[in-house]
Amino acid sequence: MNLTHTVLGNETEIDIRSKGEFEWNEAEQGFILGSFFFGYVLTQLPGGILATKYGGKWPLGLGLFVTAIFAIATPIAARTHTYLLVFVRVVQGLGEGLTTPAMHAILASWAPPDERSKLGSIVYAGAQFGTAATMVSSGYLIDGGVFGGWPSVFYVMGVISLVWFVLWCFFMYDSPAVHPRISKEERNYIETSIGNKSTEKVATPWRSIFTSWPVWAIIIGHSGHVWGLYTLLALLPTYLKTVLQFDIKQ
């Protein structure tokens, strides 16, 4: 990475893109990166309950709206105090935690059983594509010095998310029954394929759930999966820069 120097009196300052704006050690960096998941884990179950009761549109939409607002606020928080940045990331995690259970509720209302696997794969592939595209575009935004370099990532992605939220509000509906523009044939096809949903209130069998070996097998397996996945996502840029010595744009 090229270094540029600005001489101020008797001192030489290394370009902020090379040195970094904040003097955080590795432990502090890990705590800041990990604080997102403190909030993320807390809204998983509440998100499912809300999406089941009220539909998936607003839990998912408002969750990402909150995430977008606090993404835009991240540079200000980082330059104010480390703990404020941690708070911002926890709140972002709370918003993001609603998305997965809400997506399941939406798919349950819109995806016919014969197409559910395909549509579910497309939905989740979109999430991974967005992650990859953001990592690539972030390098160019930072390297190009757009809006001051690294803050541009939060500004640009936050604004894109807000635009998405507006479109989501106007075009998304919880079920085919309340969609004003869907054709009668398509609505009948989806509703007939899914069948009538029972409105009878049944108590959640928490005891049976948490004493079920298959449930615990899924929890342990999925916990291991997401631990590895999000560790890679959170630390990959640091690894590429400090270990492999890659330029941020590369």
Side-chain angles (χ1 to χ4, degrees):
M1 183 177 290
N2 294 326
L3 300 181
T4 59
H5 303 272
T6 303
V7 179
L8 298 178
N10 295 326
E11 296 180 354
T12 300
E13 293 188 354
I14 301 176
D15 184 3
I16 203 170
R17 292 187 302 163
S18 304
K19 184 180 179 182
E21 183 173 343
F22 307 102
E23 295 182 359
W24 294 325
N25 58 40
E26 291 183 1
E28 290 173 319
Q29 291 178 41
F31 182 68
I32 292 168
L33 290 171
S35 60
F36 171 88
F37 301 100
F38 300 156
Y40 187 77
V41 72
L42 292 177
T43 48
Q44 296 288 316
L45 282 176
I49 294 171
L50 288 171
T52 300
K53 187 173 183 180
Y54 300 108
K57 174 181 178 178
W58 291 114
L60 195 155
L62 292 176
L64 290 183
F65 174 78
V66 169
T67 303
I69 292 296
F70 279 82
I72 295 172
T74 295
I76 299 173
R79 287 166 172 165
T80 302
H81 199 283
T82 303
Y83 288 147
L84 182 59
L85 175 60
V86 169
F87 170 76
V88 165
R89 287 188 54 76
V90 170
V91 175
Q92 283 189 291
L94 291 172
E96 284 277 359
L98 299 171
T99 58
T100 300
M103 284 193 295
H104 283 297
I106 293 169
L107 286 169
S109 298
W110 278 95
D114 292 342
E115 302 178 40
R116 194 159 290 170
S117 296
K118 178 178 69 175
L119 294 175
S121 298
I122 293 172
V123 168
Y124 282 94
Q128 306 310 320
F129 174 81
T131 300
T134 300
M135 291 186 71
V136 172
S137 59
S138 296
Y140 284 95
L141 288 171
I142 295 170
D143 185 75
V146 180
F147 297 125
W150 67 267
S152 66
V153 178
F154 297 95
Y155 298 147
V156 172
M157 301 307 165
V159 170
I160 290 174
S161 298
L162 291 179
V163 172
W164 170 90
F165 175 72
V166 173
L167 297 175
W168 180 263
C169 292
F170 282 102
F171 293 105
M172 177 60 197
Y173 293 87
D174 283 316
S175 69
V178 296
H179 199 299
R181 293 180 296 276
I182 191 173
S183 68
K184 184 177 180 180
E185 293 76 12
E186 185 178 6
R187 183 175 67 246
N188 289 338
Y189 167 70
I190 296 174
E191 292 178 340
T192 302
S193 300
I194 294 176
N196 294 326
K197 293 184 178 181
S198 174
T199 58
E200 180 183 357
K201 293 184 178 180
V202 180
T204 303
W206 294 111
R207 182 183 179 87
S208 298
I209 290 174
F210 288 109
T211 56
S212 169
W213 285 110
V215 168
W216 280 107
I218 293 173
I219 291 174
I220 293 171
H222 190 62
S223 297
H225 164 71
V226 297
W227 180 278
L229 173 64
Y230 287 117
T231 298
L232 285 173
L233 290 179
L235 299 180
L236 183 60
T238 302
Y239 174 77
L240 291 174
K241 178 179 181 296
T242 60
V243 178
L244 299 184
Q245 301 296 317
F246 279 2
D247 179 273
I248 186 65
K249 189 166 61 175
Q250 288 180 312

